[in-house]
Amino acid sequence: MSKKVKGAECYERKRATPSFSTTWVRHPIRALIGVGLRVLIYACYSTDEQNPHSIDAQVSYCRRFLEQLGVTDYEHTVISDEGISGEKIWRPGLNQVRDGIERKLWNLILVEDSSRLVRDPGPCGQLVRSALDQGIRTICLNDYVDTSESERWEETLWEAQRHHAQANKYTIFRIKRNQAERWETGAAMGHLHPGYKRIPSYPATEREPAKGPFFDEVDPAWVPVIYEAFESFAAGQPVWMVGDFLRDKKLPGINGDATCSWTDREVLAFIKCEHYRGMEDYRETISVKKNSTGDREQKRAQPSEMWLREMEHLRIIPDWLWFKANDTIAVRTRKKAHRRGEDHPLAGIPRDSRGPLSEVFICGCEDCNQKMGSSD
């Protein structure tokens, strides 16, 4: 008999709902008299997290929080941003939150923590203050931030944001450390170039996919094709003819793209690629954060910031042939000096705004109605 009771107790324990402390919430959650409680639950997962199930987990977490406080009679709206960095100030879901605050659609905003809103103290505080100005209470569960605590919520939010920013900085350090380790051990970095195959450290099994780190090797089947392409180019064949040759031979493009069209630009990039002479460079461009929006843009790295390593096992073309083919490009290039980056006269001007008539014509499509660029 006691065994059955003990088994039943274990069963009940397994079914128990996870609980967490809500004692820090000192002010009860109430709606105005005659008006139902309207709750917004905002959830977000960033590009480095890559876990779509995180959205559902965050929503369930916020709902359990309300249940723990005894709040059951409410209407809730869920708004989310998926796979977008928390550093971005303007995101589709977050823009809906701003619009809803302006229209006073809710009485309460719930988020798992303040970093889900914005991972920046200034914009995050501004968003929460705008909600407070509209009479909307905001609670960030894991940060113990509750705007009903008028005397201390700003200080608590600032400290939480500082903590999240520090954690984000350490994450960036870990990413850079892992990249440096892979680079030093000769692991694959960046795209898979034509003529190579990428080998996993741990092959796929029936239950799990292949795992890295991954290493590149020469694919012997494509060596004659690549060698002949370089010879033809070095002998003076036009770019389009080399492209036709590669299409006829069905050489896959970047990352094994079997539909590669081998345009003139792709052929020139192929000839210039130093992989084929056993050299590899990395970080030609670096990601730079724009402080005004939180977005990141790629900028050309300085020579001191670029990485270069010898990869003799990746060599397909001897140095003399590689340099001869690239000398052919140099001879054909009419303009020898190119201004790059901020020195370029069109730097900072969007590509669709560079033509003399780009702001004159408007697209007639009903769903578009945007200005037409020089390429249109």
Side-chain angles (χ1 to χ4, degrees):
M1 188 72 177
S2 61
K3 290 183 179 180
K4 290 183 179 180
V5 173
K6 185 176 181 181
E9 289 175 352
C10 292
Y11 178 71
E12 290 300 322
R13 259 200 314 274
K14 290 178 182 178
R15 291 184 57 192
T17 302
S19 61
F20 40 83
S21 174
T22 57
T23 55
W24 62 274
V25 182
R26 299 194 298 173
H27 301 277
I29 296 176
R30 298 194 184 99
L32 296 174
I33 298 175
V35 180
L37 180 64
R38 295 163 299 168
V39 179
L40 166 68
I41 299 176
Y42 175 76
C44 174
Y45 76 89
S46 61
T47 50
D48 58 350
E49 189 176 359
Q50 293 295 348
N51 182 10
H53 300 294
S54 175
I55 297 294
D56 295 333
Q58 292 173 53
V59 173
S60 298
Y61 187 64
C62 291
R63 295 185 65 178
R64 290 203 309 272
F65 175 81
L66 291 175
E67 293 173 5
Q68 197 81 6
L69 289 171
V71 180
T72 56
D73 186 15
Y74 63 92
E75 295 180 1
H76 78 281
T77 302
V78 175
I79 296 178
S80 64
D81 282 305
E82 303 182 12
I84 303 177
S85 172
E87 293 184 339
K88 289 191 174 183
I89 299 173
W90 304 103
R91 311 192 293 268
L94 198 60
N95 292 341
Q96 292 181 46
V97 174
R98 291 189 178 95
D99 180 64
I101 290 173
E102 197 68 30
R103 295 160 55 193
K104 300 182 181 180
L105 295 182
W106 312 290
N107 311 112
L108 173 66
I109 297 176
L110 288 180
V111 290
E112 182 183 41
D113 59 58
S114 62
S115 69
R116 300 295 182 179
L117 291 171
V118 187
R119 211 174 293 165
D120 190 312
C124 185
Q126 184 178 8
L127 179 67
V128 175
R129 278 191 290 271
S130 67
L132 190 59
D133 289 342
Q134 298 288 16
I136 302 173
R137 181 177 178 180
T138 302
I139 298 179
C140 308
L141 280 63
N142 291 345
D143 293 337
Y144 300 144
V145 173
D146 183 355
T147 54
S148 67
E149 300 280 354
S150 58
E151 68 279 5
R152 63 177 184 177
W153 74 265
E154 288 188 274
E155 181 181 348
T156 307
L157 178 63
W158 181 266
E159 283 297 319
Q161 281 285 303
R162 188 181 67 83
H163 170 78
H164 293 309
Q166 193 174 32
N168 193 46
K169 180 180 71 174
Y170 291 146
T171 299
I172 293 173
F173 286 160
R174 285 195 294 270
I175 292 173
K176 289 183 177 179
R177 181 201 65 202
N178 290 337
Q179 286 182 337
E181 183 179 2
R182 287 165 51 205
W183 180 260
E184 291 172 0
T185 57
M189 308 287 287
H191 300 301
L192 176 65
H193 292 273
Y196 297 94
K197 51 186 178 181
R198 189 153 286 179
I199 310 299
S201 295
Y202 303 94
T205 64
E206 294 181 358
R207 296 184 177 182
E208 295 185 0
K211 294 182 180 180
F214 295 83
F215 294 84
D216 287 347
E217 292 182 1
V218 174
D219 189 342
W222 296 113
V223 170
V225 174
I226 293 173
Y227 201 98
E228 186 174 346
F230 269 83
E231 281 187 322
S232 300
F233 197 92
Q237 281 195 1
V239 178
W240 64 265
M241 189 174 293
V242 176
D244 283 347
F245 169 76
L246 295 175
R247 279 192 297 273
D248 290 341
K249 296 297 182 178
K250 295 182 170 49
L251 176 67
I254 294 291
N255 290 329
D257 181 13
T259 62
C260 184
S261 56
W262 287 111
T263 62
D264 288 357
R265 181 184 295 271
E266 289 167 341
V267 171
L268 291 175
F270 168 76
I271 297 296
K272 292 178 181 179
C273 181
E274 292 194 275
H275 264 66
Y276 301 108
R277 71 179 192 98
M279 299 292 293
E280 184 178 7
D281 55 29
Y282 188 63
R283 286 172 58 93
E284 289 186 357
T285 61
I286 56 176
S287 176
V288 179
K289 179 182 175 181
K290 298 181 68 175
N291 294 318
S292 59
T293 63
D295 294 336
R296 289 188 172 271
E297 61 180 4
Q298 295 295 320
K299 287 192 173 182
R300 188 172 296 276
Q302 297 296 324
S304 60
E305 298 174 312
M306 294 177 60
W307 296 355
L308 183 67
R309 65 183 179 184
E310 294 185 13
M311 303 288 281
E312 190 61 32
H313 67 284
L314 297 180
R315 180 186 289 276
I316 296 177
I317 304 299
D319 282 347
W320 68 267
L321 179 56
W322 189 91
F323 281 108
K324 186 176 180 181
N326 278 267
D327 286 343
T328 303
I329 297 178
V331 170
R332 293 175 181 176
T333 303
R334 294 181 180 178
K335 190 174 182 179
K336 303 301 180 182
H338 297 276
R339 287 187 286 176
R340 298 178 179 273
E342 295 181 358
D343 295 332
H344 197 281
L346 298 178
I349 302 176
R351 290 185 180 274
D352 64 351
S353 302
R354 294 179 177 180
L357 301 177
S358 59
E359 296 188 12
V360 176
F361 298 106
I362 303 297
C363 181
C365 299
E366 184 177 350
D367 296 335
C368 181
N369 199 33
Q370 300 293 320
K371 67 180 181 179
M372 298 180 69
S374 57
S375 61
D376 297 324

